[in-house]
Coordinates of all heavy atoms in Angstrom, one line a residue:
M6 N 233.4 61.8 122.5 CA 233.0 62.3 121.2 C 231.8 61.4 120.6 O 231.0 62.0 119.9 CB 234.2 62.1 120.2 CG 234.1 62.9 119.0 SD 234.0 64.7 119.4 CE 234.8 65.3 118.1
K7 N 231.8 60.2 121.0 CA 230.7 59.3 120.5 C 229.4 59.8 121.1 O 228.3 59.8 120.4 CB 231.0 57.9 121.0 CG 230.0 56.9 120.6 CD 230.6 55.4 121.0 CE 229.5 54.4 121.1 NZ 230.0 53.1 121.5
T8 N 229.3 60.3 122.4 CA 228.2 60.7 123.0 C 227.6 62.0 122.3 O 226.5 62.2 122.2 CB 228.4 60.9 124.5 OG1 228.9 59.8 125.1 CG2 227.1 61.3 125.2
I9 N 228.6 62.9 122.0 CA 228.2 64.2 121.3 C 227.5 63.8 120.0 O 226.4 64.4 119.7 CB 229.5 65.0 121.1 CG1 230.0 65.5 122.4 CG2 229.1 66.2 120.2 CD1 231.3 66.3 122.3
K10 N 228.0 62.9 119.2 CA 227.4 62.5 117.9 C 226.1 61.9 118.2 O 225.2 62.2 117.4 CB 228.4 61.6 117.2 CG 227.9 61.2 115.9 CD 228.0 62.3 114.9 CE 227.6 61.7 113.5 NZ 226.9 62.8 112.7
M11 N 225.9 61.1 119.2 CA 224.6 60.5 119.6 C 223.6 61.6 119.9 O 222.5 61.6 119.3 CB 224.8 59.6 120.7 CG 223.5 58.9 121.1 SD 223.6 57.7 122.4 CE 225.2 58.0 123.2
V12 N 224.0 62.7 120.6 CA 223.0 63.7 120.9 C 222.8 64.6 119.7 O 221.6 64.9 119.5 CB 223.6 64.6 122.0 CG1 222.8 65.9 122.3 CG2 223.8 63.8 123.3
E13 N 223.7 64.8 118.8 CA 223.5 65.6 117.6 C 222.6 64.8 116.7 O 221.6 65.4 116.2 CB 224.8 65.7 116.8 CG 225.8 66.8 117.4 CD 227.0 66.9 116.6 OE1 227.4 66.0 115.8 OE2 227.7 68.0 116.8
D14 N 222.8 63.6 116.5 CA 221.9 62.7 115.6 C 220.5 62.7 116.2 O 219.5 62.8 115.4 CB 222.5 61.3 115.5 CG 223.7 61.3 114.7 OD1 224.0 62.3 114.0 OD2 224.4 60.2 114.8
T15 N 220.3 62.6 117.5 CA 219.0 62.5 118.1 C 218.3 63.8 117.9 O 217.1 63.8 117.5 CB 219.1 62.2 119.6 OG1 219.8 60.9 119.8 CG2 217.8 62.1 120.3
L16 N 219.0 64.9 118.1 CA 218.3 66.3 117.9 C 217.9 66.5 116.5 O 216.9 67.0 116.2 CB 219.3 67.4 118.4 CG 219.3 67.6 119.9 CD1 220.5 68.5 120.3 CD2 218.1 68.2 120.4
Q17 N 218.8 66.1 115.5 CA 218.5 66.3 114.2 C 217.3 65.5 113.7 O 216.5 65.9 112.8 CB 219.7 65.8 113.3 CG 220.8 66.9 113.4 CD 222.0 66.4 112.5 OE1 221.8 66.0 111.4 NE2 223.2 66.4 113.1
N18 N 217.1 64.3 114.3 CA 216.0 63.4 113.9 C 214.8 63.5 114.7 O 213.9 62.6 114.6 CB 216.6 62.0 113.8 CG 217.7 61.9 112.8 OD1 217.5 62.4 111.7 ND2 218.8 61.3 113.2
M19 N 214.6 64.5 115.7 CA 213.5 64.6 116.5 C 212.3 64.9 115.6 O 212.4 65.6 114.6 CB 213.6 65.7 117.6 CG 214.7 65.4 118.6 SD 214.4 64.1 119.7 CE 213.2 64.8 120.8
D20 N 211.1 64.5 115.9 CA 209.9 64.7 115.2 C 209.4 66.1 115.3 O 209.0 66.7 114.3 CB 208.7 63.8 115.6 CG 209.0 62.3 115.3 OD1 209.7 62.0 114.3 OD2 208.4 61.4 116.0
D21 N 209.6 66.7 116.5 CA 209.2 68.1 116.7 C 210.4 69.1 116.5 O 211.4 68.6 116.6 CB 208.7 68.3 118.1 CG 207.4 67.5 118.4 OD1 206.6 67.3 117.5 OD2 207.3 67.0 119.6
S22 N 210.0 70.2 116.0 CA 211.1 71.2 115.7 C 211.8 71.7 117.0 O 212.9 72.2 117.0 CB 210.6 72.4 114.8 OG 209.6 73.1 115.5
I23 N 211.0 71.8 118.1 CA 211.4 72.2 119.4 C 211.2 71.1 120.4 O 210.2 70.5 120.4 CB 210.7 73.5 119.8 CG1 210.8 74.6 118.9 CG2 211.1 73.9 121.3 CD1 210.1 75.9 119.2
T24 N 212.3 70.8 121.2 CA 212.1 69.7 122.1 C 212.7 70.2 123.5 O 213.5 71.1 123.6 CB 212.9 68.5 121.6 OG1 212.6 67.4 122.5 CG2 214.4 68.7 121.6
S25 N 212.2 69.6 124.5 CA 212.7 69.9 125.9 C 213.8 68.9 126.2 O 214.1 68.0 125.6 CB 211.6 69.8 126.9 OG 211.2 68.4 127.0
I26 N 214.6 69.4 127.3 CA 215.7 68.5 127.8 C 215.1 67.2 128.2 O 215.6 66.0 127.9 CB 216.5 69.1 128.8 CG1 217.3 70.3 128.3 CG2 217.4 68.1 129.5 CD1 218.0 71.1 129.3
A27 N 214.0 67.2 128.8 CA 213.3 66.0 129.4 C 213.0 65.0 128.2 O 213.2 63.8 128.3 CB 212.1 66.3 130.2
E28 N 212.4 65.6 127.1 CA 212.1 64.8 126.0 C 213.3 64.2 125.3 O 213.4 63.1 124.8 CB 211.3 65.6 125.0 CG 210.8 64.9 123.8 CD 209.7 63.8 124.1 OE1 209.0 64.0 125.1 OE2 209.7 62.9 123.3
L29 N 214.3 65.1 125.2 CA 215.6 64.6 124.6 C 216.1 63.5 125.4 O 216.6 62.5 124.8 CB 216.6 65.8 124.5 CG 218.0 65.5 124.0 CD1 218.0 64.9 122.6 CD2 218.8 66.7 124.1
K30 N 216.1 63.6 126.7 CA 216.6 62.5 127.6 C 215.9 61.2 127.4 O 216.4 60.1 127.5 CB 216.6 62.9 129.1 CG 217.6 63.9 129.4 CD 217.5 64.5 130.8 CE 218.1 63.4 131.8 NZ 218.2 64.0 133.2
R31 N 214.6 61.3 127.1 CA 213.8 60.1 126.8 C 214.2 59.3 125.6 O 214.1 58.1 125.4 CB 212.3 60.4 126.7 CG 211.7 60.6 128.1 CD 210.1 60.7 128.0 NE 209.6 61.9 127.5 CZ 209.5 63.0 128.3 NH1 209.8 62.9 129.6 NH2 208.9 64.1 127.8
H32 N 214.8 60.1 124.6 CA 215.3 59.5 123.4 C 216.7 59.0 123.4 O 217.2 58.3 122.5 CB 215.1 60.5 122.2 CG 213.7 60.7 121.8 ND1 212.9 61.5 122.4 CD2 213.0 60.1 120.8 CE1 211.7 61.5 121.8 NE2 211.8 60.6 120.8
L33 N 217.4 59.3 124.5 CA 218.8 58.9 124.6 C 218.9 57.8 125.5 O 218.1 57.5 126.4 CB 219.6 60.1 125.2 CG 219.8 61.3 124.3 CD1 220.4 62.5 125.1 CD2 220.7 61.0 123.1
P34 N 220.0 57.0 125.4 CA 220.2 55.9 126.3 C 220.4 56.3 127.7 O 220.8 57.5 128.1 CB 221.6 55.2 125.9 CG 221.7 55.7 124.5 CD 221.1 57.0 124.4
K35 N 220.0 55.5 128.7 CA 220.0 55.8 130.1 C 221.4 56.2 130.6 O 221.6 56.9 131.6 CB 219.5 54.7 131.0 CG 218.1 54.4 130.6 CD 217.1 55.2 131.4 CE 215.7 54.7 131.2 NZ 214.8 55.7 130.7
Q36 N 222.5 55.8 129.9 CA 223.9 56.0 130.3 C 224.3 57.4 130.2 O 225.3 57.8 130.8 CB 224.8 55.2 129.5 CG 224.7 53.6 129.6 CD 223.6 53.0 128.8 OE1 222.9 53.7 128.2 NE2 223.7 51.7 128.8
V37 N 223.5 58.2 129.5 CA 223.9 59.6 129.3 C 223.3 60.4 130.5 O 222.1 60.6 130.6 CB 223.3 60.3 128.0 CG1 223.7 61.8 127.9 CG2 223.8 59.5 126.8
N38 N 224.2 60.8 131.4 CA 223.7 61.5 132.6 C 223.4 63.0 132.4 O 223.9 63.5 131.4 CB 224.7 61.3 133.8 CG 226.0 62.0 133.7 OD1 226.0 63.1 133.3 ND2 227.0 61.3 134.0
H39 N 222.7 63.6 133.3 CA 222.2 64.9 133.1 C 223.4 66.0 133.0 O 223.3 66.8 132.0 CB 221.3 65.4 134.3 CG 220.6 66.6 134.1 ND1 219.6 66.8 133.3 CD2 220.9 67.9 134.6 CE1 219.2 68.1 133.3 NE2 220.0 68.7 134.2
S40 N 224.4 65.9 133.8 CA 225.4 66.8 133.7 C 226.2 66.8 132.4 O 226.6 67.8 131.8 CB 226.4 66.7 134.9 OG 227.0 65.5 134.9
T41 N 226.4 65.5 131.9 CA 227.1 65.3 130.6 C 226.3 65.9 129.5 O 226.7 66.6 128.6 CB 227.3 63.9 130.3 OG1 228.2 63.2 131.4 CG2 228.0 63.6 129.0
L42 N 225.0 65.7 129.5 CA 224.0 66.2 128.5 C 224.1 67.8 128.5 O 224.1 68.4 127.5 CB 222.6 65.7 128.8 CG 221.6 66.2 127.8 CD1 222.0 65.9 126.3 CD2 220.2 65.6 128.1
K43 N 224.0 68.3 129.7 CA 224.1 69.8 129.8 C 225.4 70.4 129.2 O 225.3 71.4 128.4 CB 224.0 70.3 131.3 CG 222.7 70.0 131.9 CD 221.5 70.9 131.4 CE 221.7 72.2 132.2 NZ 220.6 73.2 131.8
T44 N 226.4 69.7 129.5 CA 227.7 70.1 128.9 C 227.8 70.1 127.4 O 228.2 70.9 126.6 CB 228.9 69.3 129.4 OG1 228.9 69.4 130.9 CG2 230.3 69.7 128.9
I45 N 227.2 68.9 126.8 CA 227.1 68.7 125.4 C 226.2 69.8 124.8 O 226.5 70.4 123.7 CB 226.6 67.3 125.1 CG1 227.6 66.3 125.3 CG2 226.2 67.2 123.5 CD1 227.2 64.9 125.3
L46 N 225.1 70.1 125.4 CA 224.2 71.1 124.9 C 224.8 72.5 124.9 O 224.6 73.3 124.0 CB 222.9 71.1 125.7 CG 222.0 69.9 125.5 CD1 220.8 70.0 126.5 CD2 221.5 69.7 124.1
E47 N 225.6 72.8 125.9 CA 226.4 74.1 125.9 C 227.3 74.2 124.8 O 227.4 75.2 124.1 CB 227.1 74.2 127.2 CG 226.2 74.5 128.4 CD 227.0 74.6 129.7 OE1 228.2 74.6 129.7 OE2 226.3 74.6 130.8
Y48 N 228.1 73.0 124.5 CA 229.0 73.0 123.4 C 228.2 73.2 122.1 O 228.7 73.9 121.2 CB 229.8 71.7 123.4 CG 230.3 71.4 122.0 CD1 231.5 72.0 121.6 CD2 229.8 70.4 121.2 CE1 232.1 71.8 120.4 CE2 230.3 70.2 119.9 CZ 231.5 70.8 119.5 OH 232.0 70.6 118.3
L49 N 227.1 72.5 121.9 CA 226.3 72.6 120.6 C 225.8 74.1 120.4 O 225.8 74.5 119.3 CB 225.2 71.6 120.6 CG 225.7 70.1 120.5 CD1 224.4 69.2 120.7 CD2 226.4 69.9 119.3
E50 N 225.4 74.7 121.5 CA 224.9 76.0 121.4 C 226.0 77.0 121.0 O 225.9 77.8 120.2 CB 224.2 76.5 122.7 CG 223.6 77.9 122.6 CD 222.9 78.3 123.9 OE1 223.1 77.7 124.9 OE2 222.0 79.1 123.7
E51 N 227.2 76.8 121.6 CA 228.3 77.7 121.3 C 228.8 77.5 119.9 O 229.3 78.4 119.3 CB 229.5 77.4 122.3 CG 229.1 77.9 123.7 CD 230.2 77.6 124.8 OE1 231.3 77.0 124.4 OE2 230.0 77.9 126.0
S52 N 228.7 76.3 119.4 CA 229.1 76.1 118.1 C 228.0 76.3 117.0 O 228.1 75.9 115.8 CB 229.6 74.6 117.9 OG 228.7 73.7 118.2
N53 N 227.0 77.0 117.4 CA 225.8 77.3 116.6 C 225.1 76.1 115.9 O 224.7 76.3 114.7 CB 226.2 78.4 115.5 CG 226.6 79.7 116.2 OD1 226.0 80.1 117.1 ND2 227.8 80.3 115.7
K54 N 225.1 75.0 116.5 CA 224.4 73.9 116.0 C 223.0 73.8 116.5 O 222.0 73.3 115.9 CB 225.1 72.6 116.2 CG 226.4 72.5 115.5 CD 227.0 71.2 115.6 CE 228.3 71.1 114.7 NZ 228.9 69.8 114.8
I55 N 222.7 74.4 117.8 CA 221.4 74.4 118.3 C 221.1 75.8 118.8 O 222.0 76.6 119.1 CB 221.2 73.4 119.5 CG1 222.1 73.8 120.6 CG2 221.3 72.0 119.0 CD1 221.9 72.9 121.9
A56 N 219.8 76.1 118.9 CA 219.3 77.3 119.7 C 218.5 76.8 120.9 O 217.7 75.9 120.7 CB 218.5 78.1 118.7
V57 N 218.8 77.5 122.0 CA 218.1 77.2 123.2 C 217.3 78.4 123.6 O 217.8 79.4 123.7 CB 219.1 76.8 124.3 CG1 218.4 76.5 125.6 CG2 220.0 75.6 124.0
S58 N 216.0 78.1 123.9 CA 215.2 79.3 124.3 C 214.3 78.7 125.4 O 214.4 77.6 125.9 CB 214.3 79.7 123.1 OG 213.3 78.7 122.8
I59 N 213.4 79.5 125.9 CA 212.4 79.2 126.9 C 211.5 78.0 126.5 O 211.2 77.2 127.3 CB 211.6 80.4 127.3 CG1 212.5 81.5 128.1 CG2 210.4 80.0 128.3 CD1 211.8 82.8 128.3
K60 N 211.2 78.0 125.3 CA 210.3 76.9 124.7 C 211.1 75.6 124.6 O 210.4 74.6 124.5 CB 209.8 77.4 123.4 CG 208.8 78.5 123.5 CD 208.2 78.7 122.2 CE 207.2 79.9 122.3 NZ 206.5 80.2 121.0
G61 N 212.4 75.6 124.4 CA 213.1 74.4 124.3 C 214.4 74.5 123.4 O 214.9 75.6 123.2
I62 N 214.7 73.4 122.8 CA 216.0 73.3 122.0 C 215.6 73.0 120.6 O 214.7 72.2 120.3 CB 216.8 72.0 122.5 CG1 217.1 72.2 124.0 CG2 218.1 71.9 121.7 CD1 217.6 71.0 124.7
T63 N 216.3 73.7 119.7 CA 216.0 73.6 118.2 C 217.3 73.3 117.5 O 218.3 74.1 117.8 CB 215.3 74.8 117.6 OG1 214.1 75.0 118.3 CG2 215.0 74.6 116.2
W64 N 217.4 72.4 116.6 CA 218.5 72.1 115.8 C 218.5 73.2 114.6 O 217.6 73.3 113.9 CB 218.5 70.7 115.2 CG 219.7 70.4 114.4 CD1 219.9 70.5 113.0 CD2 221.0 70.0 114.9 NE1 221.1 70.2 112.6 CE2 221.9 69.9 113.8 CE3 221.5 69.7 116.1 CZ2 223.2 69.5 113.9 CZ3 222.8 69.3 116.3 CH2 223.6 69.3 115.2
I65 N 219.6 73.9 114.5 CA 219.6 75.0 113.5 C 220.8 74.9 112.5 O 220.9 75.6 111.6 CB 219.7 76.4 114.2 CG1 221.0 76.5 115.1 CG2 218.5 76.7 114.9 CD1 221.2 77.9 115.5
H66 N 221.7 73.9 112.8 CA 222.9 73.8 111.9 C 222.5 73.4 110.5 O 221.7 72.4 110.3 CB 223.9 72.8 112.5 CG 225.1 72.6 111.6 ND1 226.1 73.5 111.5 CD2 225.4 71.5 110.9 CE1 227.0 73.0 110.7 NE2 226.7 71.8 110.3
N67 N 223.1 74.0 109.5 CA 222.8 73.7 108.1 C 224.1 73.1 107.5 O 225.0 73.8 107.4 CB 222.3 74.9 107.4 CG 222.1 74.6 105.9 OD1 221.9 73.5 105.6 ND2 222.2 75.6 105.0
G68 N 224.0 71.8 107.1 CA 225.1 71.1 106.5 C 225.1 71.2 105.0 O 226.0 70.6 104.3
N69 N 224.1 71.9 104.3 CA 224.0 72.0 102.9 C 225.0 73.0 102.3 O 224.9 74.2 102.5 CB 222.7 72.3 102.5 CG 222.4 72.3 101.0 OD1 223.3 72.7 100.2 ND2 221.3 71.8 100.6
E70 N 226.1 72.5 101.6 CA 227.2 73.4 101.2 C 226.6 74.4 100.1 O 227.1 75.6 100.1 CB 228.3 72.6 100.6 CG 229.1 71.8 101.6 CD 229.8 72.7 102.5 OE1 230.4 73.8 102.1 OE2 229.8 72.4 103.7
R71 N 225.7 74.0 99.3 CA 225.2 74.9 98.2 C 224.5 76.1 98.9 O 224.6 77.2 98.5 CB 224.4 74.1 97.2 CG 225.2 73.3 96.3 CD 224.3 72.5 95.3 NE 223.8 73.4 94.4 CZ 222.7 73.1 93.7 NH1 222.1 72.0 93.9 NH2 222.2 74.0 92.9
L72 N 223.6 75.7 99.9 CA 222.9 76.8 100.5 C 223.8 77.7 101.3 O 223.6 78.9 101.3 CB 221.9 76.1 101.5 CG 221.0 77.1 102.3 CD1 220.2 78.1 101.3 CD2 220.1 76.4 103.2
N73 N 224.8 77.1 102.0 CA 225.8 77.9 102.7 C 226.5 78.9 101.8 O 226.8 80.1 102.1 CB 226.8 77.1 103.5 CG 226.1 76.4 104.7 OD1 225.2 76.9 105.2 ND2 226.6 75.3 105.1
K74 N 226.9 78.4 100.6 CA 227.6 79.3 99.6 C 226.7 80.4 99.2 O 227.1 81.6 99.0 CB 228.1 78.5 98.4 CG 229.3 77.7 98.7 CD 229.7 76.9 97.4 CE 230.9 76.1 97.7 NZ 231.3 75.3 96.6
A75 N 225.4 80.1 98.9 CA 224.4 81.1 98.5 C 224.2 82.1 99.6 O 224.1 83.3 99.3 CB 223.1 80.4 98.1
I76 N 224.1 81.7 100.8 CA 224.0 82.7 101.9 C 225.2 83.5 102.0 O 225.1 84.8 102.2 CB 223.7 81.8 103.2 CG1 222.3 81.2 103.1 CG2 223.8 82.8 104.4 CD1 222.0 80.2 104.3
S77 N 226.4 82.9 101.9 CA 227.6 83.7 102.1 C 227.8 84.7 100.9 O 228.3 85.8 101.1 CB 228.9 82.9 102.2 OG 229.1 82.2 101.0
R78 N 227.3 84.4 99.8 CA 227.3 85.3 98.6 C 226.1 86.3 98.6 O 226.0 87.2 97.8 CB 227.4 84.5 97.3 CG 228.6 83.8 97.0 CD 228.7 83.3 95.6 NE 227.5 82.6 95.2 CZ 227.4 81.3 95.0 NH1 228.4 80.5 95.3 NH2 226.2 80.8 94.7
D79 N 225.3 86.1 99.5 CA 224.0 86.9 99.6 C 223.2 86.8 98.3 O 222.6 87.7 97.8 CB 224.3 88.4 99.9 CG 223.1 89.2 100.4 OD1 222.2 88.6 101.0 OD2 223.0 90.4 100.1
T80 N 223.1 85.5 97.9 CA 222.3 85.2 96.6 C 220.9 85.0 97.0 O 220.6 84.3 98.0 CB 222.9 83.9 96.0 OG1 224.3 84.1 95.7 CG2 222.1 83.6 94.7
E81 N 220.0 85.6 96.2 CA 218.6 85.5 96.4 C 218.2 84.2 95.8 O 218.4 83.9 94.6 CB 217.9 86.7 95.8 CG 216.4 86.8 96.2 CD 215.8 88.1 95.7 OE1 216.5 89.1 95.9 OE2 214.7 88.1 95.3
L82 N 217.4 83.4 96.6 CA 216.9 82.1 96.1 C 215.6 82.3 95.4 O 214.8 83.0 95.6 CB 216.8 81.1 97.2 CG 218.1 80.8 98.0 CD1 217.9 79.9 99.1 CD2 219.1 80.2 97.0

């Protein structure tokens, strides 16, 4: 669980909006192996926290409760 949180935090704080797996690996400790990272990325994609495309990985999860309520009520901002 600690490794998942580390990957989440790293993705959220990346300078670029889209990043590659190679770039992500450069920002993570060497102890995070490739197969573990791929599994974590699959989990994050399935839980709608990231979007994975040909261009790379993008953090899409929104933790703002007010915005989530407005979206669920279809409120125009």
Side-chain angles (χ1 to χ4, degrees):
M6 198 61 145
K7 184 174 156 182
T8 305
I9 294 172
K10 182 68 174 147
M11 182 178 15
V12 172
E13 286 181 342
D14 291 343
T15 302
L16 281 168
Q17 287 181 48
N18 296 313
M19 296 290 286
D20 291 334
D21 296 326
S22 60
I23 299 175
T24 189
S25 66
I26 291 176
E28 184 66 26
L29 176 59
K30 286 175 80 170
R31 282 192 280 278
H32 285 84
L33 292 169
K35 300 274 187 238
Q36 295 87 347
V37 180
N38 69 44
H39 186 74
S40 62
T41 301
L42 180 58
K43 294 284 282 184
T44 302
I45 291 170
L46 292 175
E47 286 175 16
Y48 161 75
L49 293 174
E50 185 176 23
E51 289 173 8
S52 61
N53 295 318
K54 290 186 175 184
I55 63 170
V57 179
S58 69
I59 293 171
K60 292 183 178 183
I62 304 162
T63 302
W64 184 263
I65 59 170
H66 178 72
N67 176 21
N69 184 319
E70 288 298 319
R71 291 181 65 201
L72 180 59
N73 286 335
K74 284 180 184 178
I76 291 169
S77 68
R78 289 190 312 255
D79 197 29
T80 303
E81 195 170 315
L82 300 176

